[in-house]
């Protein structure tokens, strides 16, 4: 085998699937991937995971991502307009979020990303995935694609792209995620955030109880999607991170819960990867052996 092929054996394609406002979890995952010496030049983002994937592909380091995840006030992205719900299908237009994302990315397109970024959304008109990346949509703003992928039903307004009616990418079937994104057979690892049921008192708005019920419906829908069964065909390439009762649409997460998510992402990946993905450990050993042999050869 060629030396160049040996040296790329510790590469993966991470898929950040879902998550909503639980972004800090992915920062912990990234820290673990760094410590495990896993490299990637392609990154896939779906729904909330596309936020971190996009910022990462744009060249932001983990410290910058951590600062954004811990210090950003998610409440600014939340909207509660029944009129907007009736007219556009969502309590919030999502424009504030898209503008914020565009500011972070300085208006860059897929062609301008430092890493090969793939963002997935769901076309509810045709029922299939819509993939945004350097090959398919080089001139599309990344912030726009992330907004499409974050179109949580009833929460954010539906958007259209060409003949597609865009909705949250987390609705997609697993086979849409587990593809050869690199085109070179580099293994994919899908990181999915899983939440648990929680019994809590019912709180409704006295004047607008419909908004409260819709919010609860959204939370139930997103929680159910996160607990969706992982098909046996993809189980070997999937890492589930249990985020407990922290909802993916909790826009008021306190700092302590954000830190809890970060630790949970880190601890889960550090525990699961070495046990479940034996090929990762083997590839690291082989890569280091090749590097050592190359060093010894140059010293002769």
């Amino acid at each position: 085998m060629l030396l160049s092929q040996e040296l790329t054996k510790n590469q993966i394609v991470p898929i950040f699937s879902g998550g909503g406002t639980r972004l800090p979890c992915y920062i912990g995952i990234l820290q673990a991937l760094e410590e495990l010496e896993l490299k990637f030049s392609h990154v896939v983002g779906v729904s909330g995971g596309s936020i971190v994937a996009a910022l990462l592909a744009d060249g932001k380091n983990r410290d910058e991502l951590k600062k954004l995840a811990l210090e950003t006030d998610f409440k600014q992205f939340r909207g509660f307009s029944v009129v907007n719900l009736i007219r556009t299908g969502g309590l919030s237009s999502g424009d504030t979020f898209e503008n914020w994302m565009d500011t972070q990315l300085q208006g860059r397109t897929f062609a301008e990303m430092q890493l090969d970024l793939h963002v997935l959304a769901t076309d509810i008109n045709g029922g299939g995935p819509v993939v945004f990346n350097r090959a398919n949509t080089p001139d599309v703003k990344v912030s726009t694609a992330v907004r499409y992928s974050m179109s949580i039903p009833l929460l954010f307004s539906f958007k259209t792209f060409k003949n597609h009616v865009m909705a949250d990418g987390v609705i997609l079937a697993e086979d849409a995620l587990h593809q050869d994104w690199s085109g070179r057979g580099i293994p994919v690892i899908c990181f999915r955030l899983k939440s648990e049921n929680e019994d809590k008192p019912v709180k409704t708005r006295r004047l607008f109880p419909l908004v409260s019920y819709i919010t609860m419906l959204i939370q139930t829908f997103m929680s159910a999607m996160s607990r969706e069964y992982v098909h046996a065909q993809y189980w070997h390439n999937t890492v589930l991170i249990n985020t407990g009762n922290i909802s993916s649409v909790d826009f008021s997460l306190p700092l302590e819960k954000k830190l809890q998510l970060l630790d949970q992402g880190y601890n889960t990946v550090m525990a699961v990867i070495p046990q479940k993905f034996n090929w990762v450990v083997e590839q690291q050993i082989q890569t280091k052996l090749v590097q050592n042999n190359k060093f010894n050869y140059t010293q002769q």
Side-chain angles (χ1 to χ4, degrees):
M1 182 177 290
L2 296 176
L3 178 63
S4 61
Q5 292 176 312
E6 289 283 358
L7 291 176
T8 59
K9 275 194 168 183
N10 62 336
Q11 288 192 4
I12 64 168
V13 177
I15 302 172
F16 300 149
S17 178
T21 56
R22 297 171 294 179
L23 304 182
C25 195
Y26 287 115
I27 312 306
I29 291 171
L30 287 173
Q31 180 181 347
L33 294 181
E34 287 181 17
E35 294 185 15
L36 291 169
E37 299 181 8
L38 293 173
K39 314 293 184 183
F40 49 87
S41 58
H42 290 259
V43 60
V44 182
V46 180
S47 190
S50 67
I51 301 172
V52 174
L55 296 171
L56 187 64
D58 190 46
K60 287 187 170 46
N61 60 43
R62 183 164 51 82
D63 288 338
E64 291 173 314
L65 292 173
K66 181 178 179 180
K67 181 179 175 65
L68 279 174
L70 296 183
E71 297 182 4
T72 299
D73 182 5
F74 298 148
K75 290 194 295 293
Q76 65 182 300
F77 308 134
R78 182 177 58 187
F80 291 99
S81 170
V82 176
V83 174
N84 197 76
L85 174 66
I86 296 172
R87 295 181 59 186
T88 66
L91 292 170
S92 171
S93 67
D95 292 342
T96 301
F97 165 74
E98 185 175 346
N99 292 335
W100 176 85
M101 194 73 193
D102 199 50
T103 300
Q104 304 305 317
L105 299 172
Q106 298 182 28
R108 281 187 273 271
T109 65
F110 280 89
E112 298 171 300
M113 291 290 101
Q114 295 184 26
L115 301 179
D116 278 303
L117 171 67
H118 311 268
V119 174
L120 279 72
T122 305
D123 175 21
I124 60 174
N125 186 38
V130 180
V131 179
F132 297 87
N133 55 24
R134 194 192 308 271
N136 295 340
T137 55
D139 299 324
V140 170
K141 281 189 174 185
V142 173
S143 58
T144 300
V146 173
R147 168 62 182 85
Y148 290 155
S149 188
M150 278 286 295
S151 297
I152 301 172
L154 300 180
L155 181 60
F156 289 134
S157 302
F158 290 119
K159 295 285 187 177
T160 58
F161 174 73
K162 297 182 178 179
N163 294 324
H164 310 298
V165 179
M166 313 307 295
D168 199 292
V170 78
I171 304 172
L172 292 168
E174 286 181 295
D175 55 1
L177 304 180
H178 292 265
Q179 301 184 31
D180 181 12
W181 295 106
S182 68
R184 296 183 289 127
I186 297 176
V188 302
I189 299 182
C190 181
F191 299 94
R192 282 181 50 176
L193 310 189
K194 175 180 179 291
S195 59
E196 299 290 348
N197 291 324
E198 179 186 13
D199 291 328
K200 55 185 179 181
V202 177
K203 296 180 180 180
T204 61
R205 299 188 177 194
R206 292 182 178 180
L207 296 179
F208 301 104
L210 177 62
V211 174
S212 298
Y213 290 128
I214 291 175
T215 301
M216 287 186 282
L217 178 62
I218 294 169
Q219 292 174 340
T220 302
F221 169 78
M222 297 303 293
S223 295
M225 293 302 299
S226 75
R227 293 192 297 272
E228 186 182 5
Y229 171 75
V230 178
H231 195 280
Q233 179 182 354
Y234 305 114
W235 176 250
H236 68 288
N237 276 54
T238 301
V239 176
L240 286 178
I241 296 93
N242 193 330
T243 61
N245 59 14
I246 300 178
S247 169
S248 61
V249 289
D250 185 350
F251 290 86
S252 303
L253 283 175
L255 179 59
E256 58 268 24
K257 283 197 174 183
K258 291 182 178 181
L259 292 172
Q260 177 185 332
L261 286 168
L262 192 152
D263 290 340
Q264 188 65 16
Y266 172 80
N267 292 331
T268 300
V269 173
M270 290 300 293
V272 172
I273 292 276
Q275 295 182 15
K276 188 173 183 179
F277 299 88
N278 293 327
W279 51 267
V280 169
V281 180
E282 294 172 358
Q283 287 174 0
Q284 288 178 341
I285 294 173
Q286 292 176 8
T287 298
K288 290 179 179 179
L289 287 174
V290 171
Q291 290 173 332
N292 290 336
N293 290 338
K294 182 182 179 183
F295 175 78
N296 291 335
Y297 176 78
T298 58
Q299 298 301 308
Q300 294 178 357

